[in-house]
Amino acid sequence: MGLSIGIIGLPNVGKSSTFNALTKAQNAQSANYPFCTIEPNRAVVNVPDKRLLALAKIVNPERVLHSVVEFVDIAGLVRGASKGEGLGNQFLANIKECDAILHMVRCFEDGNITHVEGRIDPIGDIEIIELELLLADIQTLNKRIERLQKQAKTDKEAKNSLECAHALLAHLENLLPVRSFGGKDSEAFEVLNKELRFLSNKAVIFGANVEENAINGNAYSKQVFEYAHSHGAEAIVICSKLEEEMVDMDEAERKEFLKSLGCEESGLEQIIRTGFAKLGLISYFTAGVKEVRSWTIHQGDKAPVAAGVIHKDFEKGFIRAETISYDDFIQYGGEAKAKEAGALRVEGRDYVVQDGDVMHFRFNV
């Protein structure tokens, strides 16, 4: 299981520059005109996790494998995207594939960089994008309702889905996003969302893109944070220009540079940490001589589900999970000494995996 984050926003707000910086790929074209990006750029990057390196020092494996995040640089949306403006339908379809959205918002003034709306207004920018996502969901839902009305005549499940769809449509027509719909816990909604992947139901992180001298925020970014918190979303301050400057720095240089700016984390670290928390994701580890590896699961997943992330056969044939907490593994210096100290636990099917667990699965083929 990986995390996929789509980078969206109006044209010329710093999406491609941010993508370049976050992925260190430098392969997303960046230019001062709308629709510079048409096909989405994709890049897979490692999830920063210091715990992996600590485990590797003890185990001395042949290789170390991080969990990964896929970043997707999606072309700039514009007013009318839900009706196809600016190739909007194509771009909106790309968002459906992502688990979460990084919504980049322009929070800087620069007369040399064109704003598609001709002004600097972070909240106005956000509302344009949010409305287009919502209108796209209305279109998608209306099409589904047409099909359900025919199926509901003979199918009880379709009838339940239709009732839910009508309630959701009324919610959307009041210009309220799917994420605030009161019927989200119903089975009928889960079926609809799994099929239609509503855009306004995606977890959102707002990235307030500021100038170099405002890395800790400015009046514009304050507006973005207030909007995010009032709408159940998250927000971070990021300077895409400074992030790009750090691309060629080694780890020590990057840390020193961030420290000089009064920052503890890079933009990448902020986004991944926030994304994991927003989606309820955690990591567990496997640690052997061949590899030390991080695996991504949902908080609350039980041991067989966690095993299935490695291979579906592990879940099907699950017997038990030999488990050591990360802290115990480090404290005792590895599996053997942790076992001697009684810190290795044998967990069954009902065990809820904890963040940082070091696990070894036993299973039948």
mmCIF file of all heavy atoms in Angstrom, residues 32-61:
data_model
loop_
_atom_site.group_PDB
_atom_site.id
_atom_site.type_symbol
_atom_site.label_atom_id
_atom_site.label_comp_id
_atom_site.label_asym_id
_atom_site.label_seq_id
_atom_site.Cartn_x
_atom_site.Cartn_y
_atom_site.Cartn_z
ATOM 1 N N ASN A 32 5.789 30.242 -17.112
ATOM 2 C CA ASN A 32 4.870 31.294 -16.720
ATOM 3 C C ASN A 32 3.716 31.418 -17.711
ATOM 4 O O ASN A 32 3.519 32.452 -18.338
ATOM 5 C CB ASN A 32 5.637 32.621 -16.602
ATOM 6 C CG ASN A 32 4.737 33.747 -16.136
ATOM 7 O OD1 ASN A 32 3.754 33.502 -15.459
ATOM 8 N ND2 ASN A 32 5.077 34.967 -16.514
ATOM 9 N N TYR A 33 2.964 30.312 -17.902
ATOM 10 C CA TYR A 33 1.749 30.403 -18.693
ATOM 11 C C TYR A 33 0.834 29.245 -18.309
ATOM 12 O O TYR A 33 1.300 28.187 -17.881
ATOM 13 C CB TYR A 33 2.036 30.379 -20.194
ATOM 14 C CG TYR A 33 2.812 29.182 -20.690
ATOM 15 C CD1 TYR A 33 2.170 28.004 -21.053
ATOM 16 C CD2 TYR A 33 4.204 29.226 -20.787
ATOM 17 C CE1 TYR A 33 2.884 26.905 -21.515
ATOM 18 C CE2 TYR A 33 4.926 28.130 -21.244
ATOM 19 C CZ TYR A 33 4.260 26.988 -21.607
ATOM 20 O OH TYR A 33 4.973 25.906 -22.054
ATOM 21 N N PRO A 34 -0.501 29.442 -18.411
ATOM 22 C CA PRO A 34 -1.439 28.392 -18.004
ATOM 23 C C PRO A 34 -1.287 27.123 -18.840
ATOM 24 O O PRO A 34 -0.934 27.178 -20.012
ATOM 25 C CB PRO A 34 -2.810 29.046 -18.238
ATOM 26 C CG PRO A 34 -2.548 30.516 -18.212
ATOM 27 C CD PRO A 34 -1.165 30.681 -18.796
ATOM 28 N N PHE A 35 -1.591 25.988 -18.222
ATOM 29 C CA PHE A 35 -1.581 24.676 -18.870
ATOM 30 C C PHE A 35 -0.206 24.284 -19.386
ATOM 31 O O PHE A 35 -0.071 23.591 -20.383
ATOM 32 C CB PHE A 35 -2.635 24.589 -19.992
ATOM 33 C CG PHE A 35 -3.962 25.109 -19.558
ATOM 34 C CD1 PHE A 35 -4.548 26.187 -20.191
ATOM 35 C CD2 PHE A 35 -4.601 24.551 -18.475
ATOM 36 C CE1 PHE A 35 -5.765 26.691 -19.764
ATOM 37 C CE2 PHE A 35 -5.815 25.042 -18.037
ATOM 38 C CZ PHE A 35 -6.397 26.114 -18.688
ATOM 39 N N CYS A 36 0.826 24.790 -18.706
ATOM 40 C CA CYS A 36 2.189 24.349 -19.005
ATOM 41 C C CYS A 36 2.266 22.835 -18.814
ATOM 42 O O CYS A 36 2.941 22.140 -19.539
ATOM 43 C CB CYS A 36 3.152 25.070 -18.066
ATOM 44 S SG CYS A 36 4.803 24.426 -18.090
ATOM 45 N N THR A 37 1.546 22.321 -17.795
ATOM 46 C CA THR A 37 1.468 20.881 -17.555
ATOM 47 C C THR A 37 0.154 20.370 -18.130
ATOM 48 O O THR A 37 -0.897 20.887 -17.797
ATOM 49 C CB THR A 37 1.508 20.578 -16.043
ATOM 50 O OG1 THR A 37 2.685 21.135 -15.491
ATOM 51 C CG2 THR A 37 1.486 19.086 -15.792
ATOM 52 N N ILE A 38 0.194 19.371 -18.994
ATOM 53 C CA ILE A 38 -1.029 18.775 -19.528
ATOM 54 C C ILE A 38 -1.150 17.329 -19.050
ATOM 55 O O ILE A 38 -2.067 16.967 -18.335
ATOM 56 C CB ILE A 38 -1.053 18.854 -21.070
ATOM 57 C CG1 ILE A 38 -1.085 20.325 -21.510
ATOM 58 C CG2 ILE A 38 -2.271 18.106 -21.620
ATOM 59 C CD1 ILE A 38 -1.071 20.523 -23.007
ATOM 60 N N GLU A 39 -0.186 16.496 -19.416
ATOM 61 C CA GLU A 39 -0.170 15.142 -18.880
ATOM 62 C C GLU A 39 0.404 15.198 -17.469
ATOM 63 O O GLU A 39 1.386 15.899 -17.222
ATOM 64 C CB GLU A 39 0.689 14.232 -19.754
ATOM 65 C CG GLU A 39 0.097 13.948 -21.119
ATOM 66 C CD GLU A 39 -1.239 13.237 -21.028
ATOM 67 O OE1 GLU A 39 -1.404 12.385 -20.118
ATOM 68 O OE2 GLU A 39 -2.126 13.536 -21.850
ATOM 69 N N PRO A 40 -0.183 14.475 -16.524
ATOM 70 C CA PRO A 40 0.315 14.551 -15.154
ATOM 71 C C PRO A 40 1.706 13.935 -15.029
ATOM 72 O O PRO A 40 1.965 12.842 -15.543
ATOM 73 C CB PRO A 40 -0.714 13.737 -14.347
ATOM 74 C CG PRO A 40 -1.324 12.802 -15.345
ATOM 75 C CD PRO A 40 -1.327 13.556 -16.652
ATOM 76 N N ASN A 41 2.604 14.653 -14.375
ATOM 77 C CA ASN A 41 3.920 14.103 -14.048
ATOM 78 C C ASN A 41 3.780 13.261 -12.788
ATOM 79 O O ASN A 41 3.059 13.639 -11.860
ATOM 80 C CB ASN A 41 4.911 15.241 -13.793
ATOM 81 C CG ASN A 41 5.165 16.060 -15.035
ATOM 82 O OD1 ASN A 41 5.768 15.602 -15.983
ATOM 83 N ND2 ASN A 41 4.689 17.306 -15.037
ATOM 84 N N ARG A 42 4.471 12.152 -12.745
ATOM 85 C CA ARG A 42 4.398 11.262 -11.586
ATOM 86 C C ARG A 42 5.808 10.942 -11.092
ATOM 87 O O ARG A 42 6.712 10.776 -11.893
ATOM 88 C CB ARG A 42 3.678 9.950 -11.933
ATOM 89 C CG ARG A 42 2.235 10.140 -12.374
ATOM 90 C CD ARG A 42 1.607 8.836 -12.838
ATOM 91 N NE ARG A 42 0.261 9.037 -13.330
ATOM 92 C CZ ARG A 42 -0.836 8.986 -12.573
ATOM 93 N NH1 ARG A 42 -0.719 8.701 -11.273
ATOM 94 N NH2 ARG A 42 -2.026 9.199 -13.095
ATOM 95 N N ALA A 43 5.950 10.846 -9.800
ATOM 96 C CA ALA A 43 7.229 10.443 -9.228
ATOM 97 C C ALA A 43 6.985 9.753 -7.885
ATOM 98 O O ALA A 43 6.116 10.168 -7.115
ATOM 99 C CB ALA A 43 8.149 11.644 -9.042
ATOM 100 N N VAL A 44 7.717 8.694 -7.643
ATOM 101 C CA VAL A 44 7.620 7.954 -6.379
ATOM 102 C C VAL A 44 8.826 8.319 -5.527
ATOM 103 O O VAL A 44 9.964 8.238 -5.991
ATOM 104 C CB VAL A 44 7.581 6.433 -6.638
ATOM 105 C CG1 VAL A 44 7.596 5.664 -5.324
ATOM 106 C CG2 VAL A 44 6.344 6.067 -7.453
ATOM 107 N N VAL A 45 8.572 8.738 -4.288
ATOM 108 C CA VAL A 45 9.654 9.147 -3.393
ATOM 109 C C VAL A 45 9.571 8.370 -2.083
ATOM 110 O O VAL A 45 8.502 7.902 -1.684
ATOM 111 C CB VAL A 45 9.604 10.661 -3.102
ATOM 112 C CG1 VAL A 45 9.730 11.453 -4.382
ATOM 113 C CG2 VAL A 45 8.320 11.056 -2.380
ATOM 114 N N ASN A 46 10.703 8.235 -1.424
ATOM 115 C CA ASN A 46 10.754 7.534 -0.142
ATOM 116 C C ASN A 46 10.120 8.358 0.965
ATOM 117 O O ASN A 46 10.236 9.581 0.991
ATOM 118 C CB ASN A 46 12.205 7.235 0.243
ATOM 119 C CG ASN A 46 12.815 6.153 -0.615
ATOM 120 O OD1 ASN A 46 12.116 5.322 -1.191
ATOM 121 N ND2 ASN A 46 14.131 6.149 -0.711
ATOM 122 N N VAL A 47 9.463 7.672 1.886
ATOM 123 C CA VAL A 47 8.940 8.327 3.089
ATOM 124 C C VAL A 47 10.085 8.468 4.078
ATOM 125 O O VAL A 47 10.666 7.471 4.512
ATOM 126 C CB VAL A 47 7.815 7.488 3.724
ATOM 127 C CG1 VAL A 47 7.375 8.097 5.048
ATOM 128 C CG2 VAL A 47 6.638 7.362 2.769
ATOM 129 N N PRO A 48 10.449 9.690 4.454
ATOM 130 C CA PRO A 48 11.537 9.863 5.425
ATOM 131 C C PRO A 48 11.161 9.209 6.755
ATOM 132 O O PRO A 48 10.081 9.459 7.293
ATOM 133 C CB PRO A 48 11.632 11.390 5.584
ATOM 134 C CG PRO A 48 10.958 11.952 4.376
ATOM 135 C CD PRO A 48 9.884 10.978 4.011
ATOM 136 N N ASP A 49 12.008 8.355 7.277
ATOM 137 C CA ASP A 49 11.745 7.689 8.559
ATOM 138 C C ASP A 49 13.074 7.305 9.196
ATOM 139 O O ASP A 49 13.724 6.342 8.770
ATOM 140 C CB ASP A 49 10.867 6.450 8.348
ATOM 141 C CG ASP A 49 10.243 5.942 9.649
ATOM 142 O OD1 ASP A 49 10.889 6.111 10.711
ATOM 143 O OD2 ASP A 49 9.133 5.382 9.605
ATOM 144 N N LYS A 50 13.478 8.062 10.207
ATOM 145 C CA LYS A 50 14.757 7.827 10.865
ATOM 146 C C LYS A 50 14.821 6.463 11.538
ATOM 147 O O LYS A 50 15.905 5.923 11.770
ATOM 148 C CB LYS A 50 15.012 8.934 11.895
ATOM 149 C CG LYS A 50 15.146 10.319 11.281
ATOM 150 C CD LYS A 50 15.299 11.387 12.351
ATOM 151 C CE LYS A 50 15.388 12.771 11.724
ATOM 152 N NZ LYS A 50 15.461 13.842 12.749
ATOM 153 N N ARG A 51 13.667 5.910 11.860
ATOM 154 C CA ARG A 51 13.644 4.612 12.542
ATOM 155 C C ARG A 51 14.238 3.505 11.676
ATOM 156 O O ARG A 51 14.861 2.567 12.200
ATOM 157 C CB ARG A 51 12.204 4.262 12.946
ATOM 158 C CG ARG A 51 11.601 5.211 13.969
ATOM 159 C CD ARG A 51 10.141 4.900 14.250
ATOM 160 N NE ARG A 51 9.312 5.037 13.050
ATOM 161 C CZ ARG A 51 7.999 4.832 13.032
ATOM 162 N NH1 ARG A 51 7.368 4.478 14.140
ATOM 163 N NH2 ARG A 51 7.315 4.977 11.916
ATOM 164 N N LEU A 52 14.049 3.613 10.357
ATOM 165 C CA LEU A 52 14.615 2.604 9.458
ATOM 166 C C LEU A 52 16.138 2.541 9.580
ATOM 167 O O LEU A 52 16.724 1.455 9.611
ATOM 168 C CB LEU A 52 14.237 2.926 8.012
ATOM 169 C CG LEU A 52 12.961 2.318 7.451
ATOM 170 C CD1 LEU A 52 12.719 2.847 6.051
ATOM 171 C CD2 LEU A 52 13.039 0.796 7.425
ATOM 172 N N LEU A 53 16.757 3.708 9.628
ATOM 173 C CA LEU A 53 18.216 3.757 9.713
ATOM 174 C C LEU A 53 18.712 3.212 11.037
ATOM 175 O O LEU A 53 19.747 2.544 11.109
ATOM 176 C CB LEU A 53 18.698 5.199 9.517
ATOM 177 C CG LEU A 53 18.303 5.839 8.178
ATOM 178 C CD1 LEU A 53 18.832 7.269 8.080
ATOM 179 C CD2 LEU A 53 18.834 5.012 7.009
ATOM 180 N N ALA A 54 17.955 3.477 12.107
ATOM 181 C CA ALA A 54 18.324 2.948 13.423
ATOM 182 C C ALA A 54 18.236 1.427 13.440
ATOM 183 O O ALA A 54 19.106 0.743 13.997
ATOM 184 C CB ALA A 54 17.417 3.552 14.500
ATOM 185 N N LEU A 55 17.205 0.880 12.808
ATOM 186 C CA LEU A 55 17.070 -0.574 12.716
ATOM 187 C C LEU A 55 18.194 -1.169 11.878
ATOM 188 O O LEU A 55 18.749 -2.227 12.208
ATOM 189 C CB LEU A 55 15.709 -0.940 12.096
ATOM 190 C CG LEU A 55 14.456 -0.639 12.924
ATOM 191 C CD1 LEU A 55 13.208 -0.857 12.076
ATOM 192 C CD2 LEU A 55 14.410 -1.517 14.167
ATOM 193 N N ALA A 56 18.538 -0.487 10.784
ATOM 194 C CA ALA A 56 19.575 -0.987 9.883
ATOM 195 C C ALA A 56 20.938 -1.038 10.567
ATOM 196 O O ALA A 56 21.754 -1.927 10.291
ATOM 197 C CB ALA A 56 19.642 -0.118 8.632
ATOM 198 N N LYS A 57 21.208 -0.103 11.472
ATOM 199 C CA LYS A 57 22.484 -0.103 12.198
ATOM 200 C C LYS A 57 22.627 -1.359 13.048
ATOM 201 O O LYS A 57 23.729 -1.874 13.253
ATOM 202 C CB LYS A 57 22.579 1.136 13.084
ATOM 203 C CG LYS A 57 22.901 2.416 12.330
ATOM 204 C CD LYS A 57 23.051 3.583 13.285
ATOM 205 C CE LYS A 57 23.380 4.871 12.521
ATOM 206 N NZ LYS A 57 23.518 6.028 13.443
ATOM 207 N N ILE A 58 21.510 -1.860 13.537
ATOM 208 C CA ILE A 58 21.527 -3.059 14.376
ATOM 209 C C ILE A 58 21.581 -4.323 13.528
ATOM 210 O O ILE A 58 22.379 -5.233 13.780
ATOM 211 C CB ILE A 58 20.284 -3.089 15.294
ATOM 212 C CG1 ILE A 58 20.351 -1.953 16.320
ATOM 213 C CG2 ILE A 58 20.156 -4.445 15.995
ATOM 214 C CD1 ILE A 58 19.085 -1.782 17.129
ATOM 215 N N VAL A 59 20.761 -4.376 12.489
ATOM 216 C CA VAL A 59 20.598 -5.596 11.683
ATOM 217 C C VAL A 59 21.691 -5.726 10.618
ATOM 218 O O VAL A 59 22.083 -6.833 10.251
ATOM 219 C CB VAL A 59 19.199 -5.611 11.026
ATOM 220 C CG1 VAL A 59 19.027 -6.846 10.153
ATOM 221 C CG2 VAL A 59 18.116 -5.556 12.097
ATOM 222 N N ASN A 60 22.178 -4.580 10.108
ATOM 223 C CA ASN A 60 23.172 -4.561 9.027
ATOM 224 C C ASN A 60 22.685 -5.351 7.814
ATOM 225 O O ASN A 60 23.334 -6.308 7.370
ATOM 226 C CB ASN A 60 24.507 -5.120 9.520
ATOM 227 C CG ASN A 60 25.635 -4.832 8.537
ATOM 228 O OD1 ASN A 60 25.572 -3.852 7.794
ATOM 229 N ND2 ASN A 60 26.643 -5.678 8.528
ATOM 230 N N PRO A 61 21.551 -4.957 7.231
ATOM 231 C CA PRO A 61 20.970 -5.707 6.113
ATOM 232 C C PRO A 61 21.673 -5.398 4.789
ATOM 233 O O PRO A 61 22.456 -4.453 4.689
ATOM 234 C CB PRO A 61 19.527 -5.193 6.079
ATOM 235 C CG PRO A 61 19.677 -3.762 6.511
ATOM 236 C CD PRO A 61 20.763 -3.760 7.557
#
